[in-house]
Amino acid sequence: MLRSNIISQCRRLLSTGTTKTWASKTTAPSLKASTHYRDALLDGIPSTGPPSLRSRKYKQRYSSPEGINEAFDVAYDFLKSKSEAAYAKAAEAKDPQEKAQLETQAELHNPEVNFNFAYNEKLENDTQYIDYELPVYRELKKKHWENYGQMLTMQRLETLAAIPDTLPTLEPKAEISLKFQNHTGVNRWVEAGKKLSSNATTFPPSVKIQEFDALDLTKGKYTILIVNPDVPDIENNTYKTQIAWGLSNLSITYNDNFINPAKLLKDEGKYNEIISYLPPVPEKNLPAQRFVTWVFRQGEQSLDIQLQKRDFDIRQFVEDFKLEAIGAHIWRSEWDLNVREVRELYGLPQGTVFAKVKGTRRLR
Amino acid sequence: MLTQTTQGSLKQPTLQLLRGLRTKSKNSRVATVSAATQRIITGLSVLSGRKKYPRILKLSNEDLIRHDTIQAAWAQYQRDIRTDRQSVLDKQYDSIINAMEDLKITNMELFKIANKKEKGKRFPLDARIPVDFPPNKVWHYEVKAPAEKK
């Protein structure tokens, strides 16, 4: 036992690279950990310390738990045999859903895949590390999203009453992330429900639609609608819904799914702008306005409608064109000192200053 | 804290202030726990909460993934054993049901006897387990009782 341990230790020290390879059937780069970490991940932490630690002091001080190397070798071989069996089943599977499920199963416990997913940026879609074309990464991301992002978005949509003020309900199927990618905004993902400065929202947002299901994305098209249900309707002493921006016939892939100015410029002529972007210009002394981004699967149909008026009945629209809501996002806007500049930039008339209402109760 | 006398009466209960209330009786000055226990309690109360627990293992990123892989393999191994055992049990259960169905068709009386409820009656632990066929080796002649100690 001792001798075999020493031999394996020696082999570990002498070897220039790991001999372990998973049963993967594709050569996607994201199925391998980067060379900097790979040997330490598969063969154990070298005597120089874990490569993931930066400081030399902590590298020297670090020691792995006892017996982890032996246990890992056994576990790796065991899981690899399971993976081979799953790949063999997947090769025979006819149904694409079932095939994706088996391929997920085959790679789910691959330590390199788990390492890549855990320690890399999950929203940037860098196929070197995380490739959402592979069903296993979609599954991992879905779990990750369901644990926090999905719950947060749904909570914000419900507490801010975007549901049911815009659409009756939502069964989230895709992760929607939003960012104002321009010179005025901070280049950061917007947390659902956040109040944004009107300066940041001067130009249209960029929306990321991350699909998780095994779909034929070459055929399916997508629609994005941004509605504001808090526009004051003075004649009727109430609020009404207006559309702030609408895009349709958008096509995405699992990795190329960030609808930003660059992508829109590239896809010029392929998509349809339902109505041009009207930035949030809230009136003074009114409560914060909600801007709800809804994303729909429109199927294979083409939606070539163009609206002239901003007043909008989103429920009717969704029913008319048989859109399937898959995700939503929300931000809020309040009057601030930048509103005047935004109005001037878009040639909008001056806003109304409402009487100040003391207290936090909303106007009814 | 309410006084004992007001309980059960319809009168407004009088409140007694807790501050200055004696918590131990006058004559029992001695601690209710033994001195050794008291020492441990004092020692623990001096320590901060964090030090009462063993330190969390700090794993590097690589070792954390290695640890998770081992956990996943162990869980899979246990799951395999569980599913195998369950499938055997399922098969056994199905064959019992099939046998009973056959018996029901062939002889209703025997079926009733076989399914009679015998409350409190258990299978004796020292009885030989009933099997379908007699053993190949009926009697172990060479086995002898161990010699008794003198």
Side-chain angles (χ1 to χ4, degrees), chain A residues 281-284 335 339-340 343 348-354:
Chain A
V281 278
E283 267 91 351
K284 197 171 178 179
W335 182 88
V339 168
R340 203 171 57 114
R343 279 182 183 276
L348 298 169
Q350 282 204 326
T352 323
V353 178
F354 286 84

Side-chain angles (χ1 to χ4, degrees), chain B residues 54-65:
Chain B
R55 256 192 198 179
I56 295 167
L57 276 180
K58 281 179 184 159
L59 293 178
S60 67
N61 292 354
E62 295 90 350
D63 270 349
L64 186 62
I65 298 294

Side-chain angles (χ1 to χ4, degrees), chain A residues 63-79:
Chain A
S63 62
S64 288
E66 217 172 293
I68 196 171
N69 291 340
E70 290 77 11
F72 178 79
D73 291 348
V74 176
Y76 189 89
D77 291 341
F78 177 75
L79 289 173

Side-chain angles (χ1 to χ4, degrees), chain B residues 44-59:
Chain B
L44 282 173
S45 63
V46 167
L47 283 177
S48 73
R50 188 179 62 79
K51 287 182 180 170
K52 285 173 199 162
Y53 292 96
R55 256 192 198 179
I56 295 167
L57 276 180
K58 281 179 184 159
L59 293 178

Side-chain angles (χ1 to χ4, degrees), chain B residues 29-129:
Chain B
R29 285 281 168 89
V30 238
T32 43
V33 288
S34 71
T37 320
Q38 187 57 53
R39 212 174 299 130
I40 293 166
I41 292 169
T42 319
L44 282 173
S45 63
V46 167
L47 283 177
S48 73
R50 188 179 62 79
K51 287 182 180 170
K52 285 173 199 162
Y53 292 96
R55 256 192 198 179
I56 295 167
L57 276 180
K58 281 179 184 159
L59 293 178
S60 67
N61 292 354
E62 295 90 350
D63 270 349
L64 186 62
I65 298 294
R66 286 161 75 74
H67 170 79
D68 288 348
T69 309
I70 295 165
Q71 293 272 314
W74 179 245
Q76 182 66 50
Y77 177 68
Q78 293 289 318
R79 204 179 303 129
D80 288 355
I81 291 174
R82 226 163 34 231
T83 44
D84 287 355
R85 196 181 292 153
Q86 192 59 45
S87 71
V88 169
L89 283 175
D90 286 348
K91 273 181 201 163
Q92 285 178 345
Y93 183 78
D94 288 347
S95 77
I96 291 170
I97 296 288
N98 290 339
M100 278 300 167
E101 287 294 316
D102 285 353
L103 191 59
K104 206 182 200 174
I105 293 157
T106 48
N107 195 332
M108 199 59 192
E109 273 180 30
L110 281 178
F111 176 78
K112 274 178 186 166
I113 293 165
N115 281 296
K116 206 170 79 179
K117 286 220 168 119
E118 290 162 328
K119 211 177 179 186
K121 200 178 172 188
R122 298 287 169 89
F123 193 79
L125 283 175
D126 50 346
R128 209 168 68 85
I129 297 162

